[in-house]
């Protein structure tokens, strides 16, 4: 495996991605072709220093998770993604591994929602994508590393987020997430990364083990698909929260909207507009 060839390939593909296609704001004085290193690093959820070492061949063992994140951020085609895996010394993931890719057709759909908060998780509840409106609403995700990128860990052991739950709602949400992860393990019994995730979650918080071993089925989702969000600049708002399942790639796409003409819609616009001004 030519590690330098891996880095050179990543750099070549990085320079061909138009920033606006990746949702990166472009200033009037921009000179660099394609994405900057720090921009690709943020999109892939790795540090800019690590990406620099990868491109220069000083880091020679990127994990499969890093390769997948880079392929997704670079918007690679299926053959290009497979090539990147092989250049990194990994076997191309098969059907026995939890997929975390986004099909080009799904990517085009998400591009049409460029002004709507959208977040995507794989079947392990690892973050796949969070667009800029989502980060404006819920907070930045680019600094998340390791378990921080997993929604189960953040729900059970992470710092409080901006979604407001009662104690009962929080407990039910935790139970549903862990139950869904158990079903994922049944669908992908050969996925070693998934088994490592379960072990890490069990070590991180006793609550996970309690829910994992529980005999009582988790509560069913209520009829309401609404969430209360406490935004530091726009205040409290109640939003519709719809999760769509991409059955082919086993990903969850969650979209946040507000009914037009309501105070919630006005607050959401303030939250998204304030972030745009910062950018």
């Amino acid at each position: 495996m030519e590690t330098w060839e891996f880095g050179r390939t990543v750099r070549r593909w990085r320079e061909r991605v138009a920033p606006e296609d990746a949702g990166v704001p472009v200033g009037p004085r921009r000179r660099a072709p394609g994405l900057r290193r720090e921009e690709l690093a943020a999109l892939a959820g790795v540090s800019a220093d690590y990406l620099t070492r990868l491109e220069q061949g000083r880091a020679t063992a990127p994990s499969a998770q890093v390769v997948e994140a880079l392929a997704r951020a670079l918007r690679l085609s299926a053959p290009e993604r497979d090539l990147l895996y092989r250049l990194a010394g990994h076997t191309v993931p098969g059907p026995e591994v939890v997929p975390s890719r986004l099909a080009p057709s799904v990517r085009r759909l998400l591009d049409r929602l460029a002004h709507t908060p959208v977040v995507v998780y794989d079947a392990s509840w690892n973050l796949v994508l969070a667009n800029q409106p989502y980060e404006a609403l819920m907070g930045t995700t680019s600094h998340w590393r390791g378990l921080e990128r997993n929604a189960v860990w953040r729900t059970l052991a992470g710092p409080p987020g901006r979604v407001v739950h009662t104690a009962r709602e929080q407990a039910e949400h935790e139970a549903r997430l862990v139950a869904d992860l158990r079903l994922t393990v049944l669908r992908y019994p050969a996925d070693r990364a998934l088994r490592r995730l379960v072990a890490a979650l069990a070590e991180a918080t006793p609550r996970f083990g309690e829910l994992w071993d529980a005999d009582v089925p988790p509560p069913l989702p209520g009829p309401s698909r609404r969430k209360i969000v406490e935004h530091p600049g726009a205040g409290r708002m109640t939003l519709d929260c719809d999760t769509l399942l991409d059955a082919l790639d086993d990903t969850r796409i969650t979209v946040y909207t507000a009914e037009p003409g309501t105070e919630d819609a006005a607050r959401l616009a303030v939250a998204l507009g304030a972030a745009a001004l910062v950018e």
Side-chain angles (χ1 to χ4, degrees):
M1 190 270 289
E2 295 288 348
T3 55
W4 178 71
E5 181 63 26
F6 174 89
R8 187 174 71 170
T9 301
V10 168
R11 178 172 181 174
R12 184 171 67 250
W13 285 339
R14 169 172 63 82
E15 292 178 344
R16 77 179 185 184
V17 178
E20 54 270 22
D21 290 343
V24 175
V26 179
R29 298 184 179 180
R30 187 182 185 96
R31 296 179 180 177
L35 293 173
R36 298 188 177 102
R37 277 195 184 122
E38 60 270 20
E39 292 168 344
L40 175 58
L43 290 170
V46 301
S47 71
D49 175 69
Y50 181 59
L51 180 58
T52 298
R53 290 186 285 118
L54 278 176
E55 288 191 355
Q56 294 176 350
R58 294 186 288 118
T60 59
S63 68
Q65 290 78 11
V66 167
V67 174
E68 185 64 52
L70 288 172
R72 187 168 56 246
L74 290 167
R75 298 177 170 235
L76 300 184
S77 65
E80 290 170 337
R81 168 182 173 269
D82 293 352
L83 173 60
L84 199 64
Y85 267 93
R86 288 193 290 269
L87 288 175
H90 293 294
T91 301
V92 177
E96 72 280 358
V97 175
V98 174
S100 58
R101 58 186 175 269
L102 286 177
S105 57
V106 175
R107 175 71 73 168
R108 288 193 297 271
L109 172 64
L110 299 183
D111 286 343
R112 292 178 178 270
L113 300 174
H115 303 291
T116 302
V118 177
V119 64
V120 182
Y121 287 97
D122 66 16
S124 302
W125 289 101
N126 288 321
L127 179 67
V128 174
L129 176 147
N131 68 1
Q132 285 188 316
Y134 176 86
E135 295 201 336
L137 177 66
M138 296 296 193
T140 183
T141 65
S142 59
H143 63 282
W144 290 351
R145 301 288 183 269
L147 280 178
E148 289 179 313
R149 298 181 66 82
N150 184 265
V152 182
W153 180 86
R154 289 201 319 277
T155 299
L156 295 175
R162 295 181 182 178
V163 176
V164 179
H165 287 299
T166 65
R168 177 178 177 179
E169 290 169 342
Q170 178 68 21
E172 292 179 348
H173 179 55
E174 293 171 357
R176 281 193 291 267
L177 276 178
V178 175
D180 188 76
L181 187 61
R182 287 177 62 179
L183 293 177
T184 299
V185 171
L186 293 176
R187 290 199 302 277
Y188 302 97
D191 191 321
R192 289 177 292 179
L194 180 58
R195 293 201 301 271
R196 289 194 297 268
L197 170 63
V198 171
L201 289 169
E203 184 177 354
T205 168
R207 173 69 170 156
F208 177 81
E210 296 170 4
L211 292 171
W212 187 265
D213 296 331
D215 293 327
V216 180
L220 295 174
S224 173
R225 291 181 292 188
R226 313 193 87 193
K227 285 189 178 181
I228 299 174
V229 178
E230 186 74 50
H231 188 274
R236 181 169 293 198
M237 66 193 84
T238 301
L239 302 177
D240 291 314
C241 174
D242 295 288
T243 298
L244 313 175
L245 176 64
D246 179 1
L248 184 61
D249 288 327
D250 208 358
T251 53
R252 294 101 170 90
I253 304 169
T254 301
V255 183
Y256 294 82
T257 59
E259 184 178 351
T262 63
E263 183 176 346
D264 291 317
R267 291 182 183 276
L268 178 59
V270 169
L272 304 186
L277 291 175
V278 171
E279 295 291 350

